[in-house]
Amino acid sequence: MFDAMYIGATGMQAQQMNVDTIANNIANANTSGFKKGRVSFSDLMVREAARSAQPVMDNDTGILGVSSRSGAGVGIASLSKQFDMGDIKKTDATFDIAVQGDGFFELTMPDGSRAFTRGGTFKINRDGMLATPAGYALKPGIALPENMKTMTIGSDGHVQVTVAGQSTPIDIGQLELVRFTSPSGLLAQGDSLYRSSEASGEPIAGKAGDENMGTLMQGYLEGSNVRMVDEMVNLMVAQRAYEASVKVVQASDEMLGMINGLRK
């Protein structure tokens, strides 16, 4: 049986994953805080194949030798997120907060675990805490008084509110941020949430304004980092690569047909 048919199939599968990733990037082009995904490829493990041994050049001696290994197609090496910043957009909404820098907001999940997000749309949850639209409270918790009239968040994360009957702002806490040594290793959870992993390293806590942490901008949102032109070019390249793999499978099928014809 032709190995080329199976190798071509791995190319089709890999490019299908690539197209799926690009499609997800395009679909989330207007999602606040969304980070685009990228697929990395690697050749599948080489295997011993004496029958297909091919002469290879030794880089040191320049002498042709014989390799007993051959490739077996392409596979997905990784599906990672790219965390370069998206555009900052002005919304004037009190509960919209953008991070201008590398930091992430830390959230307390219902099971007590931690999650992280760059999405800066918040609200007051049922417990009176500053939280994501899904109700996950920011860490450290910021409890907002029921009679709050205005809320101001400084670039360093200090939160001040004014309440009914008082004109002097009250300091109710300070938002903190975390950053990661290798954010591309974060595990996407959907809903613009991420969890840490061995690849990302443990979160490094700090305050807005600390080195490499970034500052906060109230009334702004970070858009996605998807560039439509780049995605369309990547889509066309992936389509061409998929077509090439299809042609390999078709050619292998035609060759098999020729072999079957010889037996008649």
Side-chain angles (χ1 to χ4, degrees):
M1 186 62 72
F2 282 110
D3 288 344
M5 185 172 288
Y6 296 104
I7 293 173
T10 65
M12 293 165 64
Q13 287 181 324
Q15 292 304 325
Q16 181 62 58
M17 172 69 79
N18 193 21
V19 170
D20 290 346
T21 303
I22 294 170
N24 188 54
N25 291 344
I26 293 173
N28 286 283
N30 291 322
T31 301
S32 297
F34 176 80
K35 300 301 179 186
K36 61 188 176 185
R38 278 287 174 266
V39 174
S40 299
F41 303 100
S42 66
D43 59 335
L44 292 179
M45 64 176 185
V46 293
R47 55 190 170 78
E48 300 294 335
R51 64 181 177 81
S52 60
Q54 297 294 325
V56 295
M57 180 72 74
D58 187 304
N59 292 331
D60 296 327
T61 64
I63 300 174
L64 283 176
V66 175
S67 170
S68 62
R69 294 173 178 271
S70 65
V74 63
I76 302 298
S78 67
L79 174 55
S80 60
K81 290 284 187 179
Q82 296 188 337
F83 283 89
D84 48 306
M85 275 201 65
D87 295 333
I88 300 294
K89 301 176 181 177
K90 187 177 178 62
T91 65
D92 288 328
T94 301
F95 295 104
D96 285 350
I97 313 168
V99 180
Q100 193 169 35
D102 297 336
F104 289 75
F105 295 107
E106 184 175 354
L107 308 172
T108 301
M109 304 301 287
D111 61 359
S113 62
R114 299 185 296 177
F116 310 93
T117 183
R118 293 277 301 190
T121 301
F122 298 105
K123 68 170 189 177
I124 304 174
N125 68 8
R126 62 183 180 183
D127 299 320
M129 308 294 290
L130 195 59
T132 67
Y136 306 138
L138 278 169
K139 186 180 179 181
I142 301 293
L144 300 168
E146 292 183 358
N147 57 346
M148 181 187 76
K149 292 178 61 180
T150 64
M151 180 185 74
T152 303
I153 300 174
S155 60
D156 61 353
H158 272 103
V159 184
Q160 292 184 322
V161 299
T162 58
V163 297
Q166 294 186 10
S167 58
T168 304
I170 305 170
D171 195 334
I172 61 172
Q174 183 175 13
L175 295 176
E176 295 182 358
L177 299 174
V178 300
R179 63 180 178 86
F180 295 88
T181 305
S182 179
S184 60
L186 289 171
L187 302 176
Q189 304 296 304
D191 202 18
S192 297
L193 302 180
Y194 301 92
R195 291 187 186 272
S196 60
S197 68
E198 289 187 10
S200 69
E202 290 298 312
I204 303 168
K207 292 182 170 55
D210 289 353
E211 185 178 4
N212 297 327
M213 200 62 76
T215 56
L216 300 181
M217 301 175 66
Q218 185 183 18
Y220 291 84
L221 278 179
E222 179 188 0
S224 77
N225 62 352
V226 175
R227 305 285 183 268
M228 290 300 289
V229 173
D230 293 343
E231 298 303 322
M232 296 308 296
V233 171
N234 291 335
L235 183 61
M236 287 187 283
V237 171
Q239 182 183 7
R240 294 303 183 192
Y242 188 92
E243 289 176 355
S245 293
V246 169
K247 290 186 181 299
V248 169
V249 173
Q250 289 176 335
S252 299
D253 182 56
E254 291 173 1
M255 293 170 71
L256 283 173
M258 294 177 190
I259 293 173
N260 289 333
L262 290 175
R263 293 175 181 171
K264 294 179 181 178

